[in-house]
Amino acid sequence: MNKNMRPAEMQRINTPALAEAFIAEQVEAVRAQVGDKKVLLALSGGVDSSVVAALLIKAIGKQLVCVHVNHGLMRKGESEQVIEVFRDQMDANLIYVDAADRFLDLLAGVDEPERKRKIIGGEFIKVFDEEARKLEGISFLAQGTIYPDILESDGVKAHHNVGGLPEEMEFELVEPLRLLFKDEVREVGRALGLPESMVERQPFPGPGLGVRCLGAITRDRLAALRESDAILREEIAAAGLKIWQFFTVVPDFRSTGVRDGKRAFDWPVIIRAVNTVDAITATVPEIPWEVLEKVTSRILAEVPGVCRVLYDLTPKPVGTIEWE
Ligand code: XMP
């Protein structure tokens, strides 16, 4: 039987008890596959890689080596959360690589979106490969492949994917989630004790904030992007709104404003929010006016270099979810 085909009789994992049963089964399977060998995992902090990490920590503890590469394009607090959850709480073997300067230096002056994606993807592989070479005795590579990745090899994720790992890496793969749908992965993550903020995390593109800091990325606009995005997330959470994906975007043009009685010439922040099932089409939710006003006034008061806030009303199609 093809181990990448979901058996017809496989039950949908939608209760904690079913998740526990899946975990027990996979813990055994991983132990049998790996023995006393070491396993490497690129841990981005996204749902899939986080759930794989938690599962493997349960199965093989410190035989798992997690590498978290901070490419400088993470959202506010994300790398910190990876360290807190996996190193501090789960006592994982976690290597944290702060590669922000490397990525930002390479990206300086590059304004073409696909070129930016290629640089980020290529550099990610390079950094990960360098870390892997420093380690001894790694035989396996764990990956957060899930069933839609296998089914939709030409789907949205594959279309965009930049974060693939080098094919010449000679590792055997460990992919314990390969037969699960996303909601099942979340259920398993919950049963493994991951925080809700990680299990319910929004989709986040591999190139991260790199495709939301439009045009050539600069550190000041990246900081404005990160801060405004954090404010938006705080206010959407405080208002209890359920939106599939939302974030801010900072373009590379400025507009005129007035601050403290003086003329300003600063960046705008664009709010983007969508609801969708499959990311192929998307609609724009009606965010309550008070929430938009609150977000706007906070961004204008708290984020340096920003003098205007806009809400993008464009459905997909015609506009893609991301701006680049
Ligand atoms: P678009 O912009 O094509 O996005 O409507 C659809 C979904 O894909 C995500 N996205 C990416 N994911 N690497 C990724 O892993 C990328 O380069 C990338 N670009 C877009 C986007 O956030 C949305 O959820």
PDB file of all heavy atoms in Angstrom, residues 30-31 33-42 52 56-57 59-67 93 128 135-143 171-176:
ATOM      1  N   VAL A  30       7.462   6.295  15.119  1.00  0.00           N
ATOM      2  CA  VAL A  30       8.683   7.096  14.996  1.00  0.00           C
ATOM      3  C   VAL A  30       9.831   6.402  15.724  1.00  0.00           C
ATOM      4  O   VAL A  30      10.947   6.295  15.195  1.00  0.00           O
ATOM      5  CB  VAL A  30       8.463   8.526  15.553  1.00  0.00           C
ATOM      6  CG1 VAL A  30       9.784   9.259  15.703  1.00  0.00           C
ATOM      7  CG2 VAL A  30       7.511   9.310  14.656  1.00  0.00           C
ATOM      8  N   ARG A  31       9.566   5.878  16.907  1.00  0.00           N
ATOM      9  CA  ARG A  31      10.622   5.165  17.647  1.00  0.00           C
ATOM     10  C   ARG A  31      11.132   3.974  16.846  1.00  0.00           C
ATOM     11  O   ARG A  31      12.330   3.728  16.773  1.00  0.00           O
ATOM     12  CB  ARG A  31      10.109   4.690  19.005  1.00  0.00           C
ATOM     13  CG  ARG A  31       9.970   5.829  19.989  1.00  0.00           C
ATOM     14  CD  ARG A  31       9.509   5.323  21.343  1.00  0.00           C
ATOM     15  NE  ARG A  31       9.284   6.435  22.246  1.00  0.00           N
ATOM     16  CZ  ARG A  31       8.442   6.408  23.273  1.00  0.00           C
ATOM     17  NH1 ARG A  31       7.739   5.307  23.547  1.00  0.00           N
ATOM     18  NH2 ARG A  31       8.305   7.464  24.045  1.00  0.00           N
ATOM     19  N   GLN A  33      11.053   3.638  13.588  1.00  0.00           N
ATOM     20  CA  GLN A  33      11.772   4.092  12.397  1.00  0.00           C
ATOM     21  C   GLN A  33      13.164   4.624  12.733  1.00  0.00           C
ATOM     22  O   GLN A  33      14.131   4.336  12.035  1.00  0.00           O
ATOM     23  CB  GLN A  33      10.965   5.202  11.683  1.00  0.00           C
ATOM     24  CG  GLN A  33      11.619   5.670  10.383  1.00  0.00           C
ATOM     25  CD  GLN A  33      10.919   6.884   9.753  1.00  0.00           C
ATOM     26  OE1 GLN A  33       9.978   7.444  10.321  1.00  0.00           O
ATOM     27  NE2 GLN A  33      11.386   7.285   8.585  1.00  0.00           N
ATOM     28  N   VAL A  34      13.237   5.345  13.835  1.00  0.00           N
ATOM     29  CA  VAL A  34      14.442   6.122  14.123  1.00  0.00           C
ATOM     30  C   VAL A  34      15.455   5.388  15.014  1.00  0.00           C
ATOM     31  O   VAL A  34      16.665   5.614  14.911  1.00  0.00           O
ATOM     32  CB  VAL A  34      14.007   7.449  14.796  1.00  0.00           C
ATOM     33  CG1 VAL A  34      15.166   8.182  15.378  1.00  0.00           C
ATOM     34  CG2 VAL A  34      13.246   8.320  13.809  1.00  0.00           C
ATOM     35  N   GLY A  35      14.965   4.518  15.861  1.00  0.00           N
ATOM     36  CA  GLY A  35      15.851   3.811  16.795  1.00  0.00           C
ATOM     37  C   GLY A  35      16.571   4.794  17.694  1.00  0.00           C
ATOM     38  O   GLY A  35      15.940   5.694  18.253  1.00  0.00           O
ATOM     39  N   ASP A  36      17.911   4.692  17.781  1.00  0.00           N
ATOM     40  CA  ASP A  36      18.633   5.627  18.650  1.00  0.00           C
ATOM     41  C   ASP A  36      19.340   6.715  17.845  1.00  0.00           C
ATOM     42  O   ASP A  36      20.237   7.387  18.336  1.00  0.00           O
ATOM     43  CB  ASP A  36      19.629   4.865  19.538  1.00  0.00           C
ATOM     44  CG  ASP A  36      20.643   4.107  18.706  1.00  0.00           C
ATOM     45  OD1 ASP A  36      20.577   4.184  17.450  1.00  0.00           O
ATOM     46  OD2 ASP A  36      21.523   3.442  19.292  1.00  0.00           O
ATOM     47  N   LYS A  37      18.900   6.894  16.598  1.00  0.00           N
ATOM     48  CA  LYS A  37      19.532   7.877  15.710  1.00  0.00           C
ATOM     49  C   LYS A  37      18.960   9.291  15.950  1.00  0.00           C
ATOM     50  O   LYS A  37      17.936   9.450  16.590  1.00  0.00           O
ATOM     51  CB  LYS A  37      19.306   7.482  14.249  1.00  0.00           C
ATOM     52  CG  LYS A  37      19.854   6.110  13.887  1.00  0.00           C
ATOM     53  CD  LYS A  37      21.315   6.231  13.575  1.00  0.00           C
ATOM     54  CE  LYS A  37      22.044   4.946  13.221  1.00  0.00           C
ATOM     55  NZ  LYS A  37      21.284   3.795  12.823  1.00  0.00           N
ATOM     56  N   LYS A  38      19.665  10.264  15.362  1.00  0.00           N
ATOM     57  CA  LYS A  38      19.216  11.649  15.541  1.00  0.00           C
ATOM     58  C   LYS A  38      18.397  12.138  14.346  1.00  0.00           C
ATOM     59  O   LYS A  38      18.636  11.750  13.211  1.00  0.00           O
ATOM     60  CB  LYS A  38      20.422  12.567  15.701  1.00  0.00           C
ATOM     61  CG  LYS A  38      21.045  12.484  17.072  1.00  0.00           C
ATOM     62  CD  LYS A  38      21.996  13.654  17.235  1.00  0.00           C
ATOM     63  CE  LYS A  38      22.942  13.415  18.383  1.00  0.00           C
ATOM     64  NZ  LYS A  38      24.132  14.259  18.269  1.00  0.00           N
ATOM     65  N   VAL A  39      17.465  13.054  14.640  1.00  0.00           N
ATOM     66  CA  VAL A  39      16.550  13.588  13.625  1.00  0.00           C
ATOM     67  C   VAL A  39      16.663  15.112  13.619  1.00  0.00           C
ATOM     68  O   VAL A  39      16.672  15.745  14.675  1.00  0.00           O
ATOM     69  CB  VAL A  39      15.093  13.199  13.970  1.00  0.00           C
ATOM     70  CG1 VAL A  39      14.124  13.730  12.914  1.00  0.00           C
ATOM     71  CG2 VAL A  39      14.945  11.690  14.124  1.00  0.00           C
ATOM     72  N   LEU A  40      16.732  15.671  12.429  1.00  0.00           N
ATOM     73  CA  LEU A  40      16.830  17.131  12.291  1.00  0.00           C
ATOM     74  C   LEU A  40      15.488  17.695  11.815  1.00  0.00           C
ATOM     75  O   LEU A  40      14.827  17.096  10.975  1.00  0.00           O
ATOM     76  CB  LEU A  40      17.914  17.430  11.253  1.00  0.00           C
ATOM     77  CG  LEU A  40      18.287  18.879  10.977  1.00  0.00           C
ATOM     78  CD1 LEU A  40      18.862  19.532  12.224  1.00  0.00           C
ATOM     79  CD2 LEU A  40      19.312  18.942   9.844  1.00  0.00           C
ATOM     80  N   LEU A  41      15.120  18.858  12.345  1.00  0.00           N
ATOM     81  CA  LEU A  41      13.857  19.482  11.927  1.00  0.00           C
ATOM     82  C   LEU A  41      14.029  20.994  11.794  1.00  0.00           C
ATOM     83  O   LEU A  41      14.537  21.644  12.703  1.00  0.00           O
ATOM     84  CB  LEU A  41      12.756  19.198  12.973  1.00  0.00           C
ATOM     85  CG  LEU A  41      11.447  19.987  12.821  1.00  0.00           C
ATOM     86  CD1 LEU A  41      10.643  19.507  11.613  1.00  0.00           C
ATOM     87  CD2 LEU A  41      10.588  19.877  14.087  1.00  0.00           C
ATOM     88  N   ALA A  42      13.599  21.525  10.658  1.00  0.00           N
ATOM     89  CA  ALA A  42      13.550  22.986  10.509  1.00  0.00           C
ATOM     90  C   ALA A  42      12.247  23.452  11.147  1.00  0.00           C
ATOM     91  O   ALA A  42      11.166  23.178  10.643  1.00  0.00           O
ATOM     92  CB  ALA A  42      13.583  23.371   9.026  1.00  0.00           C
ATOM     93  N   VAL A  52       4.856  18.763  14.514  1.00  0.00           N
ATOM     94  CA  VAL A  52       5.853  17.697  14.317  1.00  0.00           C
ATOM     95  C   VAL A  52       6.876  17.749  15.451  1.00  0.00           C
ATOM     96  O   VAL A  52       7.229  16.717  16.032  1.00  0.00           O
ATOM     97  CB  VAL A  52       6.594  17.854  12.965  1.00  0.00           C
ATOM     98  CG1 VAL A  52       7.778  16.906  12.892  1.00  0.00           C
ATOM     99  CG2 VAL A  52       5.659  17.556  11.826  1.00  0.00           C
ATOM    100  N   LEU A  56       7.598  14.707  18.044  1.00  0.00           N
ATOM    101  CA  LEU A  56       8.897  14.035  18.075  1.00  0.00           C
ATOM    102  C   LEU A  56       9.593  14.202  19.426  1.00  0.00           C
ATOM    103  O   LEU A  56      10.321  13.319  19.865  1.00  0.00           O
ATOM    104  CB  LEU A  56       9.792  14.525  16.938  1.00  0.00           C
ATOM    105  CG  LEU A  56       9.298  14.188  15.535  1.00  0.00           C
ATOM    106  CD1 LEU A  56      10.344  14.520  14.493  1.00  0.00           C
ATOM    107  CD2 LEU A  56       8.918  12.720  15.402  1.00  0.00           C
ATOM    108  N   ILE A  57       9.351  15.337  20.071  1.00  0.00           N
ATOM    109  CA  ILE A  57       9.925  15.508  21.407  1.00  0.00           C
ATOM    110  C   ILE A  57       9.337  14.440  22.323  1.00  0.00           C
ATOM    111  O   ILE A  57      10.036  13.821  23.127  1.00  0.00           O
ATOM    112  CB  ILE A  57       9.651  16.937  21.947  1.00  0.00           C
ATOM    113  CG1 ILE A  57      10.472  17.952  21.148  1.00  0.00           C
ATOM    114  CG2 ILE A  57       9.973  17.034  23.440  1.00  0.00           C
ATOM    115  CD1 ILE A  57      10.015  19.395  21.310  1.00  0.00           C
ATOM    116  N   ALA A  59       8.228  11.555  21.371  1.00  0.00           N
ATOM    117  CA  ALA A  59       8.682  10.215  20.961  1.00  0.00           C
ATOM    118  C   ALA A  59      10.157   9.975  21.270  1.00  0.00           C
ATOM    119  O   ALA A  59      10.524   8.919  21.765  1.00  0.00           O
ATOM    120  CB  ALA A  59       8.415  10.021  19.467  1.00  0.00           C
ATOM    121  N   ILE A  60      11.011  10.956  20.963  1.00  0.00           N
ATOM    122  CA  ILE A  60      12.454  10.682  21.024  1.00  0.00           C
ATOM    123  C   ILE A  60      13.254  11.742  21.780  1.00  0.00           C
ATOM    124  O   ILE A  60      14.482  11.694  21.781  1.00  0.00           O
ATOM    125  CB  ILE A  60      13.038  10.519  19.587  1.00  0.00           C
ATOM    126  CG1 ILE A  60      12.737  11.763  18.731  1.00  0.00           C
ATOM    127  CG2 ILE A  60      12.471   9.253  18.925  1.00  0.00           C
ATOM    128  CD1 ILE A  60      13.460  11.793  17.398  1.00  0.00           C
ATOM    129  N   GLY A  61      12.558  12.683  22.421  1.00  0.00           N
ATOM    130  CA  GLY A  61      13.229  13.661  23.279  1.00  0.00           C
ATOM    131  C   GLY A  61      14.381  14.362  22.595  1.00  0.00           C
ATOM    132  O   GLY A  61      14.226  14.974  21.546  1.00  0.00           O
ATOM    133  N   LYS A  62      15.570  14.259  23.190  1.00  0.00           N
ATOM    134  CA  LYS A  62      16.721  15.025  22.699  1.00  0.00           C
ATOM    135  C   LYS A  62      17.383  14.429  21.465  1.00  0.00           C
ATOM    136  O   LYS A  62      18.359  14.994  20.956  1.00  0.00           O
ATOM    137  CB  LYS A  62      17.730  15.189  23.829  1.00  0.00           C
ATOM    138  CG  LYS A  62      17.160  15.945  25.008  1.00  0.00           C
ATOM    139  CD  LYS A  62      17.945  17.179  25.333  1.00  0.00           C
ATOM    140  CE  LYS A  62      17.098  18.084  26.165  1.00  0.00           C
ATOM    141  NZ  LYS A  62      17.766  18.849  27.157  1.00  0.00           N
ATOM    142  N   GLN A  63      16.882  13.307  20.986  1.00  0.00           N
ATOM    143  CA  GLN A  63      17.383  12.816  19.690  1.00  0.00           C
ATOM    144  C   GLN A  63      16.891  13.722  18.560  1.00  0.00           C
ATOM    145  O   GLN A  63      17.374  13.648  17.442  1.00  0.00           O
ATOM    146  CB  GLN A  63      16.881  11.399  19.401  1.00  0.00           C
ATOM    147  CG  GLN A  63      17.590  10.312  20.172  1.00  0.00           C
ATOM    148  CD  GLN A  63      16.785   9.009  20.062  1.00  0.00           C
ATOM    149  OE1 GLN A  63      16.163   8.593  21.033  1.00  0.00           O
ATOM    150  NE2 GLN A  63      16.764   8.392  18.903  1.00  0.00           N
ATOM    151  N   LEU A  64      15.906  14.547  18.876  1.00  0.00           N
ATOM    152  CA  LEU A  64      15.433  15.514  17.881  1.00  0.00           C
ATOM    153  C   LEU A  64      16.242  16.796  18.026  1.00  0.00           C
ATOM    154  O   LEU A  64      16.373  17.328  19.126  1.00  0.00           O
ATOM    155  CB  LEU A  64      13.941  15.837  18.096  1.00  0.00           C
ATOM    156  CG  LEU A  64      13.405  16.950  17.180  1.00  0.00           C
ATOM    157  CD1 LEU A  64      13.295  16.465  15.739  1.00  0.00           C
ATOM    158  CD2 LEU A  64      12.056  17.465  17.666  1.00  0.00           C
ATOM    159  N   VAL A  65      16.770  17.271  16.908  1.00  0.00           N
ATOM    160  CA  VAL A  65      17.465  18.558  16.919  1.00  0.00           C
ATOM    161  C   VAL A  65      16.642  19.523  16.069  1.00  0.00           C
ATOM    162  O   VAL A  65      16.478  19.321  14.866  1.00  0.00           O
ATOM    163  CB  VAL A  65      18.894  18.443  16.328  1.00  0.00           C
ATOM    164  CG1 VAL A  65      19.608  19.783  16.431  1.00  0.00           C
ATOM    165  CG2 VAL A  65      19.675  17.346  17.021  1.00  0.00           C
ATOM    166  N   CYS A  66      16.104  20.554  16.728  1.00  0.00           N
ATOM    167  CA  CYS A  66      15.307  21.543  15.996  1.00  0.00           C
ATOM    168  C   CYS A  66      16.197  22.728  15.651  1.00  0.00           C
ATOM    169  O   CYS A  66      16.976  23.180  16.491  1.00  0.00           O
ATOM    170  CB  CYS A  66      14.170  22.075  16.867  1.00  0.00           C
ATOM    171  SG  CYS A  66      13.079  20.817  17.502  1.00  0.00           S
ATOM    172  N   VAL A  67      16.061  23.222  14.435  1.00  0.00           N
ATOM    173  CA  VAL A  67      16.783  24.435  14.054  1.00  0.00           C
ATOM    174  C   VAL A  67      15.748  25.502  13.683  1.00  0.00           C
ATOM    175  O   VAL A  67      14.924  25.294  12.798  1.00  0.00           O
ATOM    176  CB  VAL A  67      17.722  24.177  12.850  1.00  0.00           C
ATOM    177  CG1 VAL A  67      18.389  25.478  12.405  1.00  0.00           C
ATOM    178  CG2 VAL A  67      18.772  23.132  13.204  1.00  0.00           C
ATOM    179  N   ASN A  93      15.920  20.151  22.273  1.00  0.00           N
ATOM    180  CA  ASN A  93      17.226  20.457  21.736  1.00  0.00           C
ATOM    181  C   ASN A  93      16.985  21.445  20.592  1.00  0.00           C
ATOM    182  O   ASN A  93      16.619  21.041  19.492  1.00  0.00           O
ATOM    183  CB  ASN A  93      17.735  19.126  21.168  1.00  0.00           C
ATOM    184  CG  ASN A  93      19.219  19.044  21.173  1.00  0.00           C
ATOM    185  OD1 ASN A  93      19.901  20.065  21.242  1.00  0.00           O
ATOM    186  ND2 ASN A  93      19.716  17.840  21.086  1.00  0.00           N
ATOM    187  N   PHE A 128      20.286  26.762   6.779  1.00  0.00           N
ATOM    188  CA  PHE A 128      19.907  25.476   7.374  1.00  0.00           C
ATOM    189  C   PHE A 128      20.974  24.422   7.077  1.00  0.00           C
ATOM    190  O   PHE A 128      21.372  23.652   7.953  1.00  0.00           O
ATOM    191  CB  PHE A 128      18.547  25.050   6.816  1.00  0.00           C
ATOM    192  CG  PHE A 128      17.992  23.830   7.485  1.00  0.00           C
ATOM    193  CD1 PHE A 128      17.445  23.916   8.759  1.00  0.00           C
ATOM    194  CD2 PHE A 128      18.023  22.593   6.861  1.00  0.00           C
ATOM    195  CE1 PHE A 128      16.932  22.793   9.397  1.00  0.00           C
ATOM    196  CE2 PHE A 128      17.518  21.461   7.486  1.00  0.00           C
ATOM    197  CZ  PHE A 128      16.975  21.567   8.753  1.00  0.00           C
ATOM    198  N   LEU A 135      26.471  19.620  12.664  1.00  0.00           N
ATOM    199  CA  LEU A 135      25.997  18.575  13.575  1.00  0.00           C
ATOM    200  C   LEU A 135      26.560  17.228  13.139  1.00  0.00           C
ATOM    201  O   LEU A 135      26.820  16.992  11.974  1.00  0.00           O
ATOM    202  CB  LEU A 135      24.467  18.516  13.550  1.00  0.00           C
ATOM    203  CG  LEU A 135      23.767  19.804  13.954  1.00  0.00           C
ATOM    204  CD1 LEU A 135      22.300  19.749  13.562  1.00  0.00           C
ATOM    205  CD2 LEU A 135      23.910  20.028  15.455  1.00  0.00           C
ATOM    206  N   GLU A 136      26.718  16.357  14.112  1.00  0.00           N
ATOM    207  CA  GLU A 136      27.243  15.036  13.797  1.00  0.00           C
ATOM    208  C   GLU A 136      26.141  14.000  13.961  1.00  0.00           C
ATOM    209  O   GLU A 136      25.290  14.116  14.837  1.00  0.00           O
ATOM    210  CB  GLU A 136      28.354  14.690  14.783  1.00  0.00           C
ATOM    211  CG  GLU A 136      29.424  15.742  14.865  1.00  0.00           C
ATOM    212  CD  GLU A 136      30.746  15.251  14.371  1.00  0.00           C
ATOM    213  OE1 GLU A 136      31.227  14.230  14.912  1.00  0.00           O
ATOM    214  OE2 GLU A 136      31.289  15.870  13.419  1.00  0.00           O
ATOM    215  N   GLY A 137      26.201  12.989  13.146  1.00  0.00           N
ATOM    216  CA  GLY A 137      25.371  11.801  13.355  1.00  0.00           C
ATOM    217  C   GLY A 137      23.889  11.981  13.125  1.00  0.00           C
ATOM    218  O   GLY A 137      23.069  11.311  13.739  1.00  0.00           O
ATOM    219  N   ILE A 138      23.526  12.906  12.227  1.00  0.00           N
ATOM    220  CA  ILE A 138      22.101  13.053  11.905  1.00  0.00           C
ATOM    221  C   ILE A 138      21.758  12.081  10.775  1.00  0.00           C
ATOM    222  O   ILE A 138      22.422  12.065   9.746  1.00  0.00           O
ATOM    223  CB  ILE A 138      21.789  14.486  11.420  1.00  0.00           C
ATOM    224  CG1 ILE A 138      22.180  15.525  12.460  1.00  0.00           C
ATOM    225  CG2 ILE A 138      20.331  14.602  10.988  1.00  0.00           C
ATOM    226  CD1 ILE A 138      21.197  15.762  13.549  1.00  0.00           C
ATOM    227  N   SER A 139      20.738  11.274  10.968  1.00  0.00           N
ATOM    228  CA  SER A 139      20.355  10.312   9.925  1.00  0.00           C
ATOM    229  C   SER A 139      19.017  10.629   9.291  1.00  0.00           C
ATOM    230  O   SER A 139      18.710  10.164   8.201  1.00  0.00           O
ATOM    231  CB  SER A 139      20.255   8.900  10.515  1.00  0.00           C
ATOM    232  OG  SER A 139      21.354   8.631  11.330  1.00  0.00           O
ATOM    233  N   PHE A 140      18.200  11.386  10.011  1.00  0.00           N
ATOM    234  CA  PHE A 140      16.827  11.599   9.536  1.00  0.00           C
ATOM    235  C   PHE A 140      16.497  13.084   9.470  1.00  0.00           C
ATOM    236  O   PHE A 140      17.027  13.879  10.240  1.00  0.00           O
ATOM    237  CB  PHE A 140      15.820  10.948  10.505  1.00  0.00           C
ATOM    238  CG  PHE A 140      15.905   9.444  10.545  1.00  0.00           C
ATOM    239  CD1 PHE A 140      16.783   8.814  11.433  1.00  0.00           C
ATOM    240  CD2 PHE A 140      15.109   8.660   9.722  1.00  0.00           C
ATOM    241  CE1 PHE A 140      16.867   7.423  11.470  1.00  0.00           C
ATOM    242  CE2 PHE A 140      15.177   7.279   9.769  1.00  0.00           C
ATOM    243  CZ  PHE A 140      16.059   6.659  10.643  1.00  0.00           C
ATOM    244  N   LEU A 141      15.581  13.408   8.550  1.00  0.00           N
ATOM    245  CA  LEU A 141      15.072  14.771   8.463  1.00  0.00           C
ATOM    246  C   LEU A 141      13.560  14.714   8.664  1.00  0.00           C
ATOM    247  O   LEU A 141      12.860  14.025   7.924  1.00  0.00           O
ATOM    248  CB  LEU A 141      15.384  15.351   7.079  1.00  0.00           C
ATOM    249  CG  LEU A 141      14.952  16.791   6.856  1.00  0.00           C
ATOM    250  CD1 LEU A 141      15.851  17.744   7.634  1.00  0.00           C
ATOM    251  CD2 LEU A 141      15.003  17.150   5.375  1.00  0.00           C
ATOM    252  N   ALA A 142      13.065  15.424   9.680  1.00  0.00           N
ATOM    253  CA  ALA A 142      11.621  15.457   9.903  1.00  0.00           C
ATOM    254  C   ALA A 142      11.037  16.636   9.142  1.00  0.00           C
ATOM    255  O   ALA A 142      11.666  17.693   9.027  1.00  0.00           O
ATOM    256  CB  ALA A 142      11.319  15.589  11.384  1.00  0.00           C
ATOM    257  N   GLN A 143       9.816  16.440   8.633  1.00  0.00           N
ATOM    258  CA  GLN A 143       9.154  17.522   7.904  1.00  0.00           C
ATOM    259  C   GLN A 143       7.683  17.565   8.256  1.00  0.00           C
ATOM    260  O   GLN A 143       7.062  16.532   8.463  1.00  0.00           O
ATOM    261  CB  GLN A 143       9.292  17.307   6.396  1.00  0.00           C
ATOM    262  CG  GLN A 143      10.671  17.682   5.892  1.00  0.00           C
ATOM    263  CD  GLN A 143      10.751  17.678   4.372  1.00  0.00           C
ATOM    264  OE1 GLN A 143       9.999  16.988   3.709  1.00  0.00           O
ATOM    265  NE2 GLN A 143      11.666  18.457   3.835  1.00  0.00           N
ATOM    266  N   PHE A 171      19.158  12.414   3.800  1.00  0.00           N
ATOM    267  CA  PHE A 171      18.486  11.969   5.017  1.00  0.00           C
ATOM    268  C   PHE A 171      17.257  11.156   4.654  1.00  0.00           C
ATOM    269  O   PHE A 171      16.630  11.398   3.621  1.00  0.00           O
ATOM    270  CB  PHE A 171      18.000  13.171   5.835  1.00  0.00           C
ATOM    271  CG  PHE A 171      19.096  14.073   6.319  1.00  0.00           C
ATOM    272  CD1 PHE A 171      19.070  15.428   6.004  1.00  0.00           C
ATOM    273  CD2 PHE A 171      20.126  13.587   7.108  1.00  0.00           C
ATOM    274  CE1 PHE A 171      20.058  16.283   6.466  1.00  0.00           C
ATOM    275  CE2 PHE A 171      21.116  14.439   7.569  1.00  0.00           C
ATOM    276  CZ  PHE A 171      21.086  15.781   7.245  1.00  0.00           C
ATOM    277  N   GLU A 172      16.915  10.245   5.553  1.00  0.00           N
ATOM    278  CA  GLU A 172      15.631   9.570   5.395  1.00  0.00           C
ATOM    279  C   GLU A 172      14.582  10.485   6.019  1.00  0.00           C
ATOM    280  O   GLU A 172      14.840  11.129   7.041  1.00  0.00           O
ATOM    281  CB  GLU A 172      15.689   8.230   6.126  1.00  0.00           C
ATOM    282  CG  GLU A 172      14.549   7.311   5.779  1.00  0.00           C
ATOM    283  CD  GLU A 172      14.607   6.007   6.570  1.00  0.00           C
ATOM    284  OE1 GLU A 172      15.696   5.417   6.686  1.00  0.00           O
ATOM    285  OE2 GLU A 172      13.552   5.613   7.107  1.00  0.00           O
ATOM    286  N   LEU A 173      13.390  10.563   5.415  1.00  0.00           N
ATOM    287  CA  LEU A 173      12.375  11.493   5.912  1.00  0.00           C
ATOM    288  C   LEU A 173      11.504  10.897   7.019  1.00  0.00           C
ATOM    289  O   LEU A 173      11.170   9.719   6.989  1.00  0.00           O
ATOM    290  CB  LEU A 173      11.448  11.929   4.766  1.00  0.00           C
ATOM    291  CG  LEU A 173      12.058  12.812   3.683  1.00  0.00           C
ATOM    292  CD1 LEU A 173      10.999  13.186   2.661  1.00  0.00           C
ATOM    293  CD2 LEU A 173      12.684  14.073   4.289  1.00  0.00           C
ATOM    294  N   VAL A 174      11.176  11.741   7.977  1.00  0.00           N
ATOM    295  CA  VAL A 174      10.200  11.384   9.021  1.00  0.00           C
ATOM    296  C   VAL A 174       9.051  12.377   8.855  1.00  0.00           C
ATOM    297  O   VAL A 174       9.232  13.577   9.047  1.00  0.00           O
ATOM    298  CB  VAL A 174      10.825  11.524  10.432  1.00  0.00           C
ATOM    299  CG1 VAL A 174       9.794  11.206  11.505  1.00  0.00           C
ATOM    300  CG2 VAL A 174      12.050  10.637  10.569  1.00  0.00           C
ATOM    301  N   GLU A 175       7.890  11.885   8.462  1.00  0.00           N
ATOM    302  CA  GLU A 175       6.754  12.779   8.172  1.00  0.00           C
ATOM    303  C   GLU A 175       5.485  12.266   8.845  1.00  0.00           C
ATOM    304  O   GLU A 175       4.572  11.782   8.169  1.00  0.00           O
ATOM    305  CB  GLU A 175       6.548  12.888   6.652  1.00  0.00           C
ATOM    306  CG  GLU A 175       7.733  13.511   5.926  1.00  0.00           C
ATOM    307  CD  GLU A 175       7.514  13.632   4.418  1.00  0.00           C
ATOM    308  OE1 GLU A 175       7.148  12.617   3.794  1.00  0.00           O
ATOM    309  OE2 GLU A 175       7.697  14.731   3.891  1.00  0.00           O
ATOM    310  N   PRO A 176       5.417  12.386  10.161  1.00  0.00           N
ATOM    311  CA  PRO A 176       4.307  11.761  10.885  1.00  0.00           C
ATOM    312  C   PRO A 176       2.933  12.377  10.609  1.00  0.00           C
ATOM    313  O   PRO A 176       1.926  11.758  10.926  1.00  0.00           O
ATOM    314  CB  PRO A 176       4.696  11.941  12.358  1.00  0.00           C
ATOM    315  CG  PRO A 176       5.667  13.062  12.366  1.00  0.00           C
ATOM    316  CD  PRO A 176       6.380  13.039  11.053  1.00  0.00           C
TER     317      PRO A 176
END
